[in-house]
Amino acid sequence: MNRTTKLLTRLFTALRDRPVWQRVPAFLVILALLWLPWLGLGSLAIADSNSRSIVTLVGLYVIFLLLLPRWGESQTAWRQPFRHYGLAWNGRWRRSWLLGLGLGISLVLLLYGLQWSLGWQQWQGWPPQFGRLFFEGLLMATAVGFAEELLFRGWLLQELQRDFPQQGGWMSALIFAAVHRFGLQIFGLSLLGLALVAARQCDRQRLGLPMGLHSGLVAAYYWVNVGQLVQPRAGLWAGWTGWEGNPLQSIPGIGLLMLLWLGLVAWQRRNRPVPQS
């Protein structure tokens, strides 16, 4: 065990009995300090801004993945921290991921189809490079779904529920929304956060279903938006088609997210084990 590992173990152990409003910021500060050299190196070595942002974000999540087991072991003495955070590389986990992926893609395409049928979106045709965009979007969405769900529905949710067992899900959804957007969009993102929390509960605290659902939503939006498959009708209020072009951040999208959340909650309650008397 080198000096850095020993120091991290001491810091993490010292935070074990601290309240969540101290534990979480302290962990994030440590993560940021370890990430700064990578960020500086990327800024100096990579000229293209898009490539630089991708490389630096990858570095951030790699450091997060390296810190997470040490944090879990020091906080709760878990021998398999990733399993407790919801990762389990087995057949059931993969089936849940595929189910969530299909559900997420279907929801976004259904929403775009509804908008097109109402005349709110105009079909632009298939771009010649759509095959490349398809695989590019799927790969990117899988990475985003994995990273964000492990962060928000894995680590952060567990930390919040340690101190607030009943309110942790709501709190994590609000934090998820606030990190991504402010303004009117925060309501839809909060609903999405609640739906992803419910998806984890439906999957017996595994992350397969929420990771797949998150990836499916991002992938379908990427295909349509980057591929410019549709174009909003000129002069139409953005609330009908989605702020910043995102259909989930529209009035129909918010309604669909509400139905998704309620449906997942009902599914989770239906499959909840009945206590034996």
Side-chain angles (χ1 to χ4, degrees):
M1 186 181 295
N2 58 39
R3 290 183 179 179
T4 302
T5 304
K6 288 181 179 179
L7 177 59
L8 288 174
T9 301
R10 289 180 183 177
L11 288 172
F12 290 167
T13 303
L15 292 167
R16 179 188 299 161
D17 298 322
R18 298 286 184 175
V20 66
W21 60 270
Q22 293 180 4
R23 291 196 314 272
V24 167
F27 178 85
L28 294 176
V29 168
I30 293 170
L31 174 63
L33 290 174
L34 293 174
W35 180 55
L36 281 176
W38 182 278
L39 177 63
L41 182 62
S43 301
L44 292 173
I46 304 174
D48 180 67
S49 59
N50 187 50
S51 299
R52 183 169 61 247
S53 63
I54 292 173
V55 170
T56 52
L57 279 176
V58 168
L60 176 63
Y61 280 115
V62 167
I63 296 170
F64 173 68
L65 288 173
L66 293 174
L67 286 181
L68 202 55
R70 184 68 58 185
W71 176 266
E73 290 169 1
S74 64
Q75 298 297 297
T76 56
W78 288 334
R79 294 187 177 181
Q80 294 180 308
F82 283 117
R83 182 175 293 275
H84 286 276
Y85 286 123
L87 294 178
W89 310 114
N90 53 38
R92 181 175 185 134
W93 195 95
R94 289 190 291 271
R95 288 192 295 272
S96 296
W97 185 85
L98 288 172
L99 174 63
L101 182 71
L103 177 61
I105 292 172
S106 300
L107 288 173
V108 174
L109 296 184
L110 174 65
L111 195 52
Y112 272 118
L114 174 64
Q115 293 180 357
W116 173 78
S117 67
L118 293 172
W120 298 348
Q121 299 277 7
Q122 297 176 336
W123 175 253
Q124 303 297 302
W126 299 100
Q129 74 279 17
F130 185 74
R132 178 181 62 83
L133 287 175
F134 178 87
F135 290 105
E136 182 179 274
L138 186 60
L139 180 62
M140 181 274 299
T142 300
V144 169
F146 177 88
E148 293 205 355
E149 290 310 298
L150 184 58
L151 175 61
F152 288 102
R153 258 62 61 180
W155 171 72
L156 180 61
L157 181 60
Q158 294 275 45
E159 292 300 317
L160 291 169
Q161 288 181 332
R162 281 177 59 187
D163 290 39
F164 305 98
Q166 302 301 321
Q167 299 85 7
W170 289 86
M171 295 170 69
S172 70
L174 291 173
I175 293 171
F176 170 75
V179 166
H180 285 78
R181 287 289 187 275
F182 288 98
L184 294 174
Q185 298 96 319
I186 201 169
F187 183 65
L189 285 165
S190 297
L191 284 173
L192 176 58
L194 287 171
L196 291 166
V197 170
R200 175 171 180 171
Q201 294 169 342
C202 289
D203 205 16
R204 299 185 180 182
Q205 302 305 322
R206 287 184 288 261
L207 288 176
L209 186 61
M211 279 185 175
L213 177 58
H214 196 150
S215 298
L217 295 172
V218 173
Y221 172 66
Y222 183 92
W223 296 333
V224 177
N225 186 55
V226 177
Q228 298 181 347
L229 302 184
V230 296
Q231 184 71 29
R233 196 181 74 198
L236 194 67
W237 179 48
W240 296 122
T241 56
W243 287 277
E244 299 184 2
N246 188 343
L248 292 174
Q249 301 306 317
S250 65
I251 301 302
I254 290 172
L256 189 62
L257 288 173
M258 177 72 77
L259 291 176
L260 173 64
W261 172 48
L262 294 175
L264 288 169
V265 169
W267 179 14
Q268 186 263 334
R269 289 178 177 174
R270 181 179 178 181
N271 292 291
R272 181 181 297 166
V274 179
Q276 299 296 324
S277 58

